[in-house]
Amino acid sequence: MKHSHIIHHYWTSPCGILDLASIGEELVMCDWVDGWHRAATLNRLTRLTKLPMVEDASSVIDLAQVQLAEYFDQRRQVFTVPLRLIGSEFQTRVWHALTKIPYGKTISYGEIAREVNSPKAVRAVGGAVGANLFSIIIPCHRVVGANGSPSRAMAADMPPSVIFLRWNLDSRLTSCRSAAA
């Protein structure tokens, strides 16, 4: 079925406003409204899909909101909302690898590069992680630098209220929720 537009809806999480977007019954974006790469993300999404964005509701956006609320309430560790990954073959391999990082764990960019059978492509992995359209749902916040410390890029794509989430990982969301209140 050919779709004529991307439906999007703003959702206020405990850590900031997320823009959720869908095409048909698949989520195509979950992005922080005040993220540093916001304009580039929207431009890339509309350029690659060739569809305009319309603010509205959809059942898959509703499902994403429920699952995100459960995640922020520490009642969900894995997302099951249907996703449409929009990117290059390499990017989609990286994003699939990110979904395999267990809740509360971290992995380095180098480990992801090895996971996608491109051990010398650490910088390209960093670019793909940065191009992730699914903040929280595809857990780029679980990727760290080679020495295990949070990289500068980890905090760069999030609003200030969410940096705590990035640095303290999934198990510390209660503090993030308190800080955002």
Side-chain angles (χ1 to χ4, degrees):
M1 172 184 224
K2 184 91 168 136
H3 298 282
S4 61
H5 56 274
I6 300 167
I7 295 173
H8 80 108
H9 179 77
Y10 298 107
W11 181 71
T12 302
S13 82
C15 297
I17 299 171
L18 288 164
D19 190 1
L20 304 169
S22 67
I23 298 174
E25 293 303 310
E26 296 173 304
L27 200 68
V28 295
M29 182 181 71
C30 176
D31 190 43
W32 298 104
V33 170
D34 57 357
W36 67 271
H37 65 304
R38 175 83 173 141
T41 297
L42 292 176
N43 288 338
R44 185 166 43 99
L45 182 60
T46 55
R47 178 178 47 83
L48 292 175
T49 62
K50 297 179 177 39
L51 296 173
M53 294 185 78
V54 175
E55 190 168 355
D56 202 351
S58 75
S59 60
V60 73
I61 289 174
D62 292 343
L63 176 60
Q65 290 175 147
V66 167
Q67 291 188 8
L68 285 161
E70 291 170 350
Y71 177 84
F72 282 107
D73 286 340
Q74 298 181 349
R75 294 181 292 123
R76 174 174 292 277
Q77 296 182 359
V78 176
F79 291 91
T80 59
V81 63
L83 305 177
R84 179 185 296 185
L85 303 179
I86 299 172
S88 71
E89 187 270 333
F90 180 78
Q91 288 172 324
T92 58
R93 285 189 0 237
V94 169
W95 299 332
H96 280 294
L98 294 177
T99 65
K100 296 176 186 173
I101 306 170
Y103 180 89
K105 303 293 182 189
T106 60
I107 190 169
S108 72
Y109 292 99
E111 289 171 291
I112 293 286
R114 288 187 291 281
E115 174 75 20
V116 299
N117 297 316
S118 298
K120 295 182 180 182
V122 176
R123 287 182 185 262
V125 165
V129 169
N132 174 20
L133 293 174
F134 297 96
S135 293
I136 305 297
I137 294 172
I138 294 182
C140 54
H141 59 279
R142 297 179 187 154
V143 182
V144 297
N147 64 0
S149 65
S151 66
R152 265 188 335 158
M154 277 181 82
D157 70 341
M158 293 291 201
S161 63
V162 183
I163 292 173
F164 186 86
L165 166 68
R166 288 266 187 177
W167 282 62
N168 291 284
L169 302 173
D170 307 302
S171 62
R172 307 293 172 95
L173 290 171
T174 303
S175 297
C176 178
R177 184 172 43 249
S178 298

